[in-house]
Amino acid sequence: MSTLKVNRIEPRTGDKVEIVGFSSDQPSFYTEMSEGNQTVSNAVDTKVLLRSTAQKVDTGNVLDSLGKCIITAETAGVWRFAGQVNGYYVDSSCHLEKVFAMIFKNGGKITNEGSDAYINQGGPFGLKGYTATVSVIAEVSAGDEIELYGNVQYSSGGTASAVAIQQRSTNFTGNRISS
């Protein structure tokens, strides 16, 4: 391994210096849930449907219409993926226990079950919400499919209540850090 130490680099011609094998223009994406809440079953890992009409960035053209990242030959490499899932319920007879955010690759979980740090969003009429975050660095190849999953868990003191992944604050992002 060698180290190059210089005070200044000047291009021989033109106004740019090109470093071969390095690009600051790596593919990336960001999408969020913006078309309503997603009702889910209690304590079940569920793919988050990220039908974004409000915010969507996709410089590598890797996102499908539901927020799944599909790696192409041009975008393969080492990526950093991150997601945030906001789970909630509205019913005073239930107690929200945990919300997990997970990253799946080709149908299998590649992260631990997200962060144990939750944001208690509280609110009127028994509304209770927690937000969990997750991130992972993974090597991906052409054809790999990367998805955000959520798991909302509650305990009920009475009648079971519907729980949901809430559109507010639920998002998925990724950027390639190396080809």
Side-chain angles (χ1 to χ4, degrees):
M1 182 174 188
S2 299
T3 302
L4 174 65
K5 294 181 181 183
V6 298
N7 291 327
R8 183 177 174 171
I9 298 175
E10 280 186 32
R12 190 170 5 161
T13 60
D15 61 354
K16 292 184 179 180
V17 173
E18 181 180 345
I19 300 173
V20 177
F22 174 79
S23 171
S24 60
D25 189 23
Q26 298 283 4
S28 60
F29 70 86
Y30 172 85
T31 188
E32 62 188 27
M33 182 181 282
S34 66
E35 291 187 7
N37 302 328
Q38 179 181 349
T39 302
V40 297
S41 297
N42 182 37
V44 175
D45 293 350
T46 305
K47 181 195 174 344
V48 179
L49 303 178
L50 295 154
R51 296 182 197 95
S52 183
T53 56
Q55 278 285 18
K56 186 174 180 180
V57 175
D58 187 3
T59 67
N61 197 27
V62 295
L63 288 178
D64 73 2
S65 63
L66 297 179
K68 179 192 307 181
C69 171
I70 304 169
I71 301 298
T72 64
E74 296 78 28
T75 60
V78 178
W79 280 69
R80 179 187 177 274
F81 298 101
Q84 181 170 291
V85 174
N86 184 3
Y88 84 107
Y89 72 93
V90 180
D91 186 332
S92 60
S93 69
C94 291
H95 176 68
L96 190 61
E97 295 282 329
K98 282 200 173 224
V99 174
F100 294 108
M102 299 157 281
I103 308 265
F104 276 55
K105 175 180 172 184
N106 300 327
K109 191 184 317 180
I110 62 169
T111 61
N112 290 328
E113 295 180 333
S115 168
D116 280 336
Y118 302 101
I119 301 167
N120 183 348
Q121 299 184 351
F125 313 113
L127 173 66
K128 186 65 94 174
Y130 290 119
T131 300
T133 59
V134 66
S135 66
V136 67
I137 294 176
E139 188 168 349
V140 291
S141 302
D144 284 346
E145 297 181 352
I146 311 300
E147 299 171 288
L148 178 65
Y149 273 64
N151 186 314
V152 183
Q153 300 179 6
Y154 70 90
S155 61
S156 177
T159 306
S161 171
V163 291
I165 295 174
Q166 192 174 27
Q167 72 181 45
R168 183 182 70 193
S169 303
T170 298
N171 58 68
F172 183 37
T173 187
N175 62 289
R176 186 172 70 183
I177 55 179
S178 162
S179 51

